[in-house]
């Protein structure tokens, strides 16, 4: 990935600092011990040696989502996100340790498992019990939300199941484009094109999860995070969707820890600030600290380099305009090869078991230093995922754009245009 930008004009961009504290390769002895203890607790749950909360994961600020299983759709009233929930009652455990184990490894995709668990520890201030609860809730949530569905189904299949799913892409409601020098992909949310009544709540919910999972593939393993730009140009009350706001906050606070690098609120009109008075108290302080407000393009250029911002609408230097590319015939043909898929899944399970064994040895023997062995196995898991992905993951918009290559890593290219005049901010005037 090219994250080295050559400035072609004066820029107010303020380069971010790469944080290394609490990251893999920079751990203190105490942090290493916390990581080991978290692994011990997690394996006790996987192995059925420790009990854990069987309730549905807590939702936004303590709201419980008693989500239906896929096999038993509900006809009950609309819930917190405008979706149907059902109380299953005291029917016994909903999750086993093995359920969480499978969810854990599906969650890892090509990431080093230590890197993922460290995010939970940092998000919960290195408090072991809190981090463990967050991990368990995330694994349960991914099962309930059927996260594998947005990974395995094509755009067409998702649109068939969730009306107007592809239409959200066509109108450019949300898309990922470019990255900052740390490799943090930028997700643009164009609020002005959103009308809550134009699509079922479940469609927007699935779109959000799909985008988050795509962003995970596009994020650099160095930064481990993404930038979100809420573009509030021409925003009106008819564009406001509290359900989406709650979902957005919930995901980054509870289920994608440390993944929100910066959240830019761009060109907020005066009426937004009345809404912000209600939104801000809902935010966890660590998430709230990542919000940045930019009144115009010149201020946005301090957060995101102009070289990776589109010329259109953002006065950047990248001569690029968003356009949805529909699925190509046969792009998911490998997913029909069940024999190869099963062989690759079996290879993956062998690597997972090897990592398990090395980690369990580390847990039992304080004198054992398996870091190189575990790192090598984790790297092999990542490499094997690249070979397995065409058989287990539907090709998405970013594959078709050529951003995600055969190595399942981002390769951004920019069509930089030289400026022949000083930078001007051609953004709209703010409401007065």
């Amino acid at each position: 990935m090219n994250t080295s930008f050559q400035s072609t004009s004066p820029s107010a961009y303020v380069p971010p600092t790469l944080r290394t504290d609490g990251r893999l390769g920079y751990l203190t002895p105490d942090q290493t011990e916390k990581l080991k203890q978290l692994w011990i607790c997690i394996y006790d749950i996987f192995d059925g040696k420790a009990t854990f909360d069987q309730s549905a994961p807590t939702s936004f600020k303590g709201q419980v989502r008693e989500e239906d299983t896929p096999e038993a759709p509900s006809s009950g009233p609309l819930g917190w996100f405008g979706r149907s929930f059902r109380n299953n009652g005291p029917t016994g455990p909903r999750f086993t340790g093995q359920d969480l184990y499978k969810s854990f490894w599906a969650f890892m995709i090509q990431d080093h498992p230590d890197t993922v668990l460290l995010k939970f520890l940092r998000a919960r201030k290195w408090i072991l019990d809190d981090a463990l609860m967050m991990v368990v809730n995330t694994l349960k949530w991914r099962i309930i939300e059927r996260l594998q569905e947005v990974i395995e189904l094509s755009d067409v299949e998702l649109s068939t199941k969730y009306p107007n799913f592809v239409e959200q892409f066509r109108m450019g409601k949300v898309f990922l484009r470019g990255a900052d020098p740390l490799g943090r992909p930028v997700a643009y949310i164009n609020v002005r094109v959103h009308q809550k009544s134009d699509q079922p709540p479940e469609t927007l919910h699935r779109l959000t999860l799909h985008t988050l999972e795509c962003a995970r593939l596009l994020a650099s393993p160095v930064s481990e995070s993404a930038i979100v730009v809420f573009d509030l140009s021409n925003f009106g009350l008819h564009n406001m969707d509290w359900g989406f706001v709650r979902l957005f906050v919930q995901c980054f606070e509870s289920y994608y820890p440390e993944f929100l690098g910066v959240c830019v609120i761009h060109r907020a009109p005066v009426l937004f600030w009345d809404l912000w008075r209600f939104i801000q108290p809902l935010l966890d302080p660590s998430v709230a600290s990542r919000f940045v407000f930019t009144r115009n393009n010149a201020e946005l250029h301090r957060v995101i380099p102009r070289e990776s911002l589109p010329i259109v609408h953002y006065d950047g230097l990248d001569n690029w305009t968003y356009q949805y590319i529909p699925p190509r015939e046969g792009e998911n043909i490998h997913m029909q090869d069940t024999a190869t898929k099963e062989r690759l899944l079996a290879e993956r399970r062998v690597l997972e078991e090897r990592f398990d064994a090395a980690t369990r040895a580390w847990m039992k023997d304080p004198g054992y230093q398996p870091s190189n062995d575990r790192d090598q196995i984790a790297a092999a898991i990542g490499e094997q995922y690249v070979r397995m992905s065409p058989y287990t993951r539907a090709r998405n918009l970013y594959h078709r754009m050529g951003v995600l290559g055969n190595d399942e890593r981002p390769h951004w290219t920019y069509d930089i245009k030289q400026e022949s005049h000083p930078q001007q901010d051609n953004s709209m005037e703010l409401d007065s």
Side-chain angles (χ1 to χ4, degrees):
M1 174 173 27
N2 177 17
T3 57
S4 176
F5 298 99
Q6 299 297 321
S7 180
T8 58
S9 66
S11 174
Y13 178 61
V14 180
T17 301
L18 178 64
R19 297 190 61 178
T20 58
D21 53 308
R23 271 71 174 177
L24 198 61
Y26 299 92
L27 300 179
T28 67
D30 287 345
Q31 290 170 342
T32 301
E33 183 60 25
K34 287 281 188 179
L35 176 62
K36 178 184 291 188
Q37 291 302 316
L38 182 57
W39 272 113
I40 291 172
C41 293
I42 288 173
Y43 275 119
D44 281 347
I45 289 174
F46 290 165
D47 296 341
K49 296 177 181 178
T51 59
F52 59 95
D53 181 12
Q54 288 290 333
S55 64
T58 53
S59 185
F60 188 79
K61 293 300 179 188
Q63 297 291 327
V64 176
R65 297 186 60 206
E66 292 165 336
E67 177 79 0
D68 295 330
T69 60
E71 296 77 18
S74 169
S75 58
L78 293 180
W80 186 249
F81 295 109
R83 310 169 72 209
S84 297
F85 307 152
R86 175 171 60 84
N87 189 343
N88 287 331
T91 57
R94 294 183 59 178
F95 310 95
T96 66
Q98 278 302 296
D99 290 335
L100 300 194
Y101 177 80
K102 293 175 183 177
S103 179
F104 175 83
W105 279 112
F107 183 27
M108 292 305 104
I109 52 174
Q110 63 201 80
D111 296 335
H112 193 309
D114 282 354
T115 297
V116 176
L117 290 189
L118 286 168
K119 290 184 177 184
F120 288 91
L121 283 166
R122 295 196 304 269
R124 291 299 177 258
K125 313 301 182 188
W126 300 91
I127 299 174
L128 182 60
D129 288 347
D130 291 351
L132 176 63
M133 182 183 299
M134 191 182 192
V135 172
V136 170
N137 278 336
T138 296
L139 299 181
K140 292 191 297 183
W141 178 79
R142 292 182 71 86
I143 294 169
I144 288 174
E145 288 288 356
R146 308 183 301 279
L147 257 295
Q148 290 305 111
E149 178 184 75
V150 299
I151 292 172
E152 295 172 359
L153 296 186
S154 68
D155 292 2
V156 173
E157 291 169 321
L158 287 168
S159 200
T160 299
K161 190 167 185 179
Y162 303 105
N164 294 329
F165 182 85
V166 167
E167 185 59 30
Q168 312 303 304
F169 287 127
R170 289 199 179 103
M171 68 175 65
K173 184 176 291 186
V174 57
F175 60 85
L176 293 139
R177 171 60 185 174
D180 77 345
L182 295 185
R184 298 181 294 186
V186 182
Y188 296 88
I189 301 175
N190 292 307
V191 182
R192 65 186 176 277
V193 302
H194 177 64
Q195 298 283 343
K196 186 176 179 180
S197 60
D198 285 352
Q199 62 285 307
E202 185 70 17
T203 295
L204 188 62
H205 192 98
R206 291 284 127 184
L207 175 72
T208 304
L209 300 183
H210 182 276
T211 302
L212 281 166
E213 290 300 311
C214 288
R216 289 185 64 208
L217 283 181
L218 292 167
S220 163
V222 175
S223 67
E224 307 172 14
S225 60
I227 297 173
V228 178
V229 176
F230 275 93
D231 189 339
L232 299 187
S233 304
N234 299 321
F235 172 82
L237 286 177
H238 59 284
N239 302 122
M240 187 59 191
D241 188 337
W242 285 107
F244 173 74
V245 172
R246 294 182 184 114
L247 172 63
F248 176 86
V249 173
Q250 179 203 22
C251 284
F252 283 110
E253 280 193 357
S254 302
Y255 305 126
Y256 292 85
E258 297 284 292
F259 191 57
L260 182 63
V262 179
C263 183
V264 182
I265 306 298
H266 187 51
R267 293 175 175 170
V270 170
L271 66 87
F272 169 79
W273 298 105
D274 290 332
L275 301 173
W276 179 248
R277 289 190 296 118
F278 294 98
I279 297 172
Q280 187 176 23
L282 303 176
L283 300 174
D284 180 271
S286 65
V287 173
S289 67
R290 302 179 192 200
F291 277 66
V292 174
F293 299 88
T294 56
R295 295 171 296 178
N296 49 50
N297 284 336
E299 292 185 357
L300 180 63
H301 299 162
R302 294 181 59 82
V303 184
I304 302 171
R306 293 185 70 202
E307 289 83 353
S308 60
L309 281 168
I311 293 174
V312 176
H313 198 61
Y314 298 108
D315 194 28
L317 299 177
D318 182 18
N319 188 28
W320 178 90
T321 302
Y322 174 78
Q323 183 177 8
Y324 175 67
I325 302 174
R328 301 186 178 103
E329 184 178 356
E331 68 179 8
N332 292 314
I333 193 170
H334 290 303
M335 298 187 75
Q336 301 173 20
D337 185 351
T338 55
T340 302
K341 175 181 176 180
E342 290 304 317
R343 176 177 60 79
L344 291 168
L345 286 171
E347 285 182 10
R348 168 83 175 203
R349 286 191 289 271
V350 169
L351 289 170
E352 292 167 357
E353 290 167 2
R354 285 180 57 199
F355 189 89
D356 291 338
T359 303
R360 290 176 188 274
W362 178 46
M363 288 157 36
K364 292 177 182 178
D365 184 0
Y368 180 45
Q369 299 296 327
S371 59
N372 289 338
D373 186 27
R374 293 173 73 245
D375 289 347
Q376 290 171 5
I377 299 170
I381 288 173
E383 293 165 1
Q384 197 273 343
Y385 179 81
V386 171
R387 292 187 289 108
M388 184 176 69
S389 177
Y391 299 86
T392 59
R393 186 178 199 124
R395 303 297 87 179
N396 59 49
L397 173 61
Y398 306 101
H399 290 104
R400 296 191 288 275
M401 285 181 171
V403 176
L404 280 170
N406 293 331
D407 58 356
E408 290 288 21
R409 292 295 185 188
H411 300 274
W412 298 108
T413 58
Y414 307 95
D415 183 10
I416 303 300
K417 295 300 181 184
Q418 298 282 343
E419 280 193 310
S420 58
H421 57 80
Q423 176 186 342
Q424 296 179 350
D425 181 13
N426 57 6
S427 62
M428 303 182 314
E429 292 293 326
L430 293 176
D431 293 350
S432 57

